[in-house]
Structures are given as structure tokens and as C-alpha cells.
Amino acid sequence: MSTIVVVGAGVSGLTCALQLAKQGGNTITVVAKHMPGDYDPEYTSPFAGANVLPMAPEYNRWEGETWPELKRLAETCPEAGIHFQKAVLYRRPQDEASAGLAGPLAEGLFVRNPWFKDVMPDYVDLPASEVPEGMSSASSFTSVCINTAIYLPWLVGQCRARGVVFKRAVLKHISDAAKLSHTGRKPDIIINATGLLSCRLGGVMDQKVMPARGQVVLVRNEATPNMVCTSGTDDGNDDELCYIMQRAAGGGTVLGGTYMKGNWDSVPDPNIATRIMKRAVEACPALTGGKGIEALDVIRHAVGLRPYREGGVRIEKENIDGTWVVHNYGHGGWGYQGSWGCAFRVQELVDEIKSELKVGSKL
Ligand code: FAD
């Protein structure tokens, strides 16, 4: 058996722990400052919508390999808190005109004929009659929305059913994990899934990591069966956008949002909140039965800080203080929709390390 300590209990750490537990041959401890059930802006996962709107500019295995697993869970596992929803993307003319499209989430999501048109079911470009005023084009496809308040505890439960042990701890240095396996043994491998705080964790201190502030409003009102996302907004800054998604199993409807890079402010801004609600009601009048934002029944205003990383996600192995560390952090706004693909890569790296260690012990 290999001894593994996973640092982090967000969607990245929990999915890795579950994948490694399913694989067998590993004794796994998950240690984290925050656990499912906590709400703290520096713990991103509970704040996510979360849905699947592919963002990579071209096919990548993170999003490509995650979709089949989330689809399978939505089809066969109601207790995971995932349901299917149609996603409708609206493009503004100025965004279509600019090279590569403007807008905070625009890298790959809003391009015409994207790679994911062959992956996401039912992808179609909508006829002009279904494109609202002010928008130049629209596309729709079948996606999912994840109720994170159900899915994260479900991941914990799946891990516990396979013998994974959970412990609270705040690490100053990634090598502190060497003393934290519940077995008392020094771990063979540490998985670093510390998200945004990887910029402050000793031994990692990744200065490419910064928050992409996401402000949302969670309401009791129900949307149409469709999730909506626009390529930009006319009444706000470039780092604001309009999206609506209804979480599975009574999780409320998430109205978004912002994608403000480098902004650590965890307090909801009332002006932004008003703009978010106004846009949502305009984009989806069914939310309030045609009434204004005063008909929205707010559960809470919230801010989550996405773990954005300049240059992209970091998934690689590194030997730190004599122990192998596999990093898996910096997922920005796609941590759920890339979670399984990333966990599969982490598993490959763990397998490589295990075979290297075995070779070493024979010498
Ligand atoms: P986190 O969830 O932040 O977890 C990090 C873990 O590491 C925590 O347990 C923390 O306590 C632990 N940790 C950190 N430092 C230490 C330390 N020193 N010692 C001990 N433990 C430590 N993604 C999607 O795929 N689809 C969406 O629709 C979507 N919508 C979003 C909407 C909003 C408003 C926001 C804010 C995010 C959204 N995201 C979405 C992005 C997604 O939420 C993140 O990419 C994802 O949650 C990152 O997960 P993580 O596990 O890497 O980090």
C-alpha cells in the first residue's frame, strides 16, 4: 500500500482522493483547513454555480474527460446533486467582432463552432428569431448544473466509504503534510490541491496564482429550464457578465456574476448585486413572472475567489524536501467541469512515482 496525503478538500482534492481510493492500493488521508459545510471566501468550491460551460480554446483532456463522468452521475446517481439543464449562450456583436472575443469567460466558450460542439449533446446555433435584441447570435446545448452543497459532501461520503480518513489541519509548508497521515507513516506522495492559497503555502508560494473574484446572488426563484450566459454586459465593467443557473434538488438559482482578476475583496458590492439582479430579470423574465428585481427572493449575496493562475493550471510532480508532491491547483473558473480529467492525470503521475519508488527500493 502507498501512503498518500491529499492537502485540500475542495472539488480538486476530493475528486483526486476519490479517484485514488477507487484505484486501490493507496492509504489516503485528506487534510484541509476548510471542509465541505464551511463558507469562507478563500475556500472556493462551495461558491461555484456550478455548471459545465467549456472554456478551453481547444479540446483539452481536463474538460473533455470530465464531461462523461458528470453526465453519468446526472443520469444514474441522483444523490450526487447533479441534474441536466439546457445551456444557452448569447453573443454580443462587439464581442464577436473583437479578436478571440472579449469578455471574462470568453477564451473558448463563446467562439463559433467550438471544439465542444461534438462533445456536449444537442449543440445547435439558434435561429435569428430566438436571438434577443442586442445580441448577434446564440447557441444552446445540454449541460448539467451541480448543487455544490450536495456534491461536495457526496464526494466526502464516497471517499469515506472507501476508507479515506479526513483531518483538519492548517499547513504552513507543504512538507508539513509529511507528518499528517492517519497511519503515522511518512507519506510516499503528497497531493497539493490547495487552490487559491497555493500562493501563500510555504514550499509552493506560486505568485502566478491570484483570485478571480466572483460575486453572485442566490435566489429562491426558479428560472426557465435553461441556463443562460452572455458574452458580456452593456451596463457594467469588462469583468462582469450575466449568467443564470438553477441548482439541482432545491439548491436555489445562482445569478452571476463577476470575474475580477487580482481582487481579494470578499464583501458583496451592493451596486454590482443590483446590476446582477437587473440583468438576470431582463434575460429571464420568467424568474419573477415579468416583475422587477423586487420580486427576487434572495437567499444570500456571496463572493467566492476563483483560483486563477497566469499560464493555466499546474498539474505536475515535484520532489520537495525528499517527498514527491503532485500539484493540482489553479483551475480558475472551471474547477468542477475539469475535476475528473485533472484527477485522472494526478492518478497517472502518482502511478509514475509509485513505479519509480519501487525501482528505487529494489536497488
Ligand atoms: P478550493 O475549493 O479553494 O479548495 C482548497 C482546499 O485547500 C480547501 O479545503 C482549503 O482549506 C485547503 N487549503 C488551502 N491552503 C491550505 C493550508 N495551508 N493548509 C490546509 N489546507 C489548505 N467551476 C466550474 O467548473 N463551473 C462553474 O460553474 C463554476 N462557477 C463558479 C462560480 C463562482 C462564483 C466561483 C467563485 C467559482 C466558480 N467555479 C466554477 C470555479 C470553481 O469553484 C473552482 O475552480 C474550484 O472550486 C477550485 O477548487 P479547489 O479544490 O482547487 O480549491
Side-chain angles (χ1 to χ4, degrees):
M1 295 289 270
S2 300
T3 304
I4 297 181
V5 171
V6 177
V7 187
V11 69
S12 306
L14 294 175
T15 312
C16 287
L18 179 52
Q19 179 57 27
L20 293 168
K22 278 181 174 174
Q23 182 193 19
N26 302 310
T27 304
I28 301 167
T29 314
V30 174
V31 296
K33 182 176 178 186
H34 308 94
M35 292 282 178
D38 299 348
Y39 280 89
D40 188 307
E42 61 185 26
Y43 175 37
T44 316
S45 292
F47 294 96
N51 63 10
V52 174
L53 298 179
M55 289 169 198
E58 51 198 40
Y59 175 85
N60 74 30
R61 67 176 291 195
W62 319 136
E63 293 182 333
E65 292 180 8
T66 299
W67 170 249
E69 183 58 14
L70 294 179
K71 181 169 172 281
R72 186 187 70 78
L73 291 174
E75 279 165 348
T76 64
C77 188
E79 61 272 29
I82 303 176
H83 69 172
F84 288 108
Q85 275 203 291
K86 184 169 154 183
V88 185
L89 306 176
Y90 293 115
R91 304 180 191 85
R92 296 188 308 166
Q94 61 269 50
D95 297 333
E96 295 216 50
S98 67
L101 284 166
L105 293 181
E107 214 184 353
L109 179 59
F110 290 101
V111 294
R112 297 285 200 115
N113 292 315
W115 62 269
F116 58 83
K117 76 178 188 337
D118 300 322
V119 174
M120 304 305 288
D122 313 316
Y123 187 98
V124 286
D125 291 326
L126 298 182
S129 58
E130 291 180 35
V131 177
E133 204 185 317
M135 298 289 164
S136 47
S137 69
S139 307
S140 76
F141 54 91
T142 297
S143 179
V144 292
C145 185
I146 303 168
N147 183 340
T148 59
I150 293 178
Y151 186 58
L152 294 171
W154 179 81
L155 287 171
V156 172
Q158 293 298 303
C159 286
R160 280 174 55 81
R162 290 167 176 82
V164 176
V165 173
F166 285 78
K167 286 168 58 163
R168 293 263 185 178
V170 182
L171 281 65
K172 286 201 165 69
H173 194 284
I174 188 68
S175 297
D176 294 348
K179 299 184 206 88
L180 291 174
S181 167
H182 68 277
T183 62
R185 291 193 297 269
K186 182 176 177 289
D188 303 299
I189 301 166
I190 297 166
I191 312 294
N192 171 27
T194 53
L196 177 61
L197 295 184
S198 56
C199 68
R200 293 183 181 158
L201 180 62
V204 183
M205 291 285 187
D206 190 334
Q207 296 313 301
K208 291 182 184 157
V209 174
M210 66 181 86
R213 180 181 183 276
Q215 181 169 334
V216 294
V217 186
L218 184 67
V219 298
R220 292 188 179 83
N221 307 61
E222 300 205 334
T224 62
N226 298 345
M227 298 186 285
V228 170
C229 190
T230 64
S231 65
T233 61
D234 297 335
D235 59 349
N237 299 321
D238 284 349
D239 48 16
E240 295 180 28
L241 66 160
C242 171
Y243 62 82
I244 302 168
M245 61 183 97
Q246 194 175 312
R247 284 175 164 176
T253 302
V254 181
L255 314 179
T258 63
Y259 196 94
M260 305 162 100
K261 279 189 211 163
N263 187 327
W264 285 88
D265 187 359
S266 60
V267 180
D269 175 327
N271 293 315
I272 293 177
T274 304
R275 290 200 289 274
I276 287 173
M277 293 188 287
K278 208 163 152 282
R279 289 177 202 133
V281 166
E282 277 167 16
C284 179
L287 261 178
T288 53
K291 295 183 187 149
I293 65 170
E294 62 282 2
L296 287 172
D297 187 358
V298 176
I299 300 170
R300 65 173 169 268
H301 294 271
V303 171
L305 302 175
R306 299 175 183 90
Y308 173 79
R309 184 170 186 270
E310 206 75 60
V313 69
R314 184 177 183 204
I315 306 183
E316 61 184 6
K317 58 183 178 173
E318 182 185 11
N319 198 298
I320 302 178
D321 297 337
T323 304
W324 281 107
V325 175
V326 177
H327 299 287
N328 179 22
Y329 65 83
H331 304 82
W334 53 269
Y336 281 85
Q337 63 196 38
S339 55
W340 284 99
C342 293
F344 296 148
R345 178 62 189 146
V346 166
Q347 185 197 310
E348 288 169 6
L349 292 168
V350 164
D351 289 345
E352 277 175 35
I353 294 167
K354 278 166 93 171
S355 60
E356 278 172 36
L357 291 175
K358 219 180 275 164
V359 170
S361 66
K362 279 186 194 148
L363 291 174

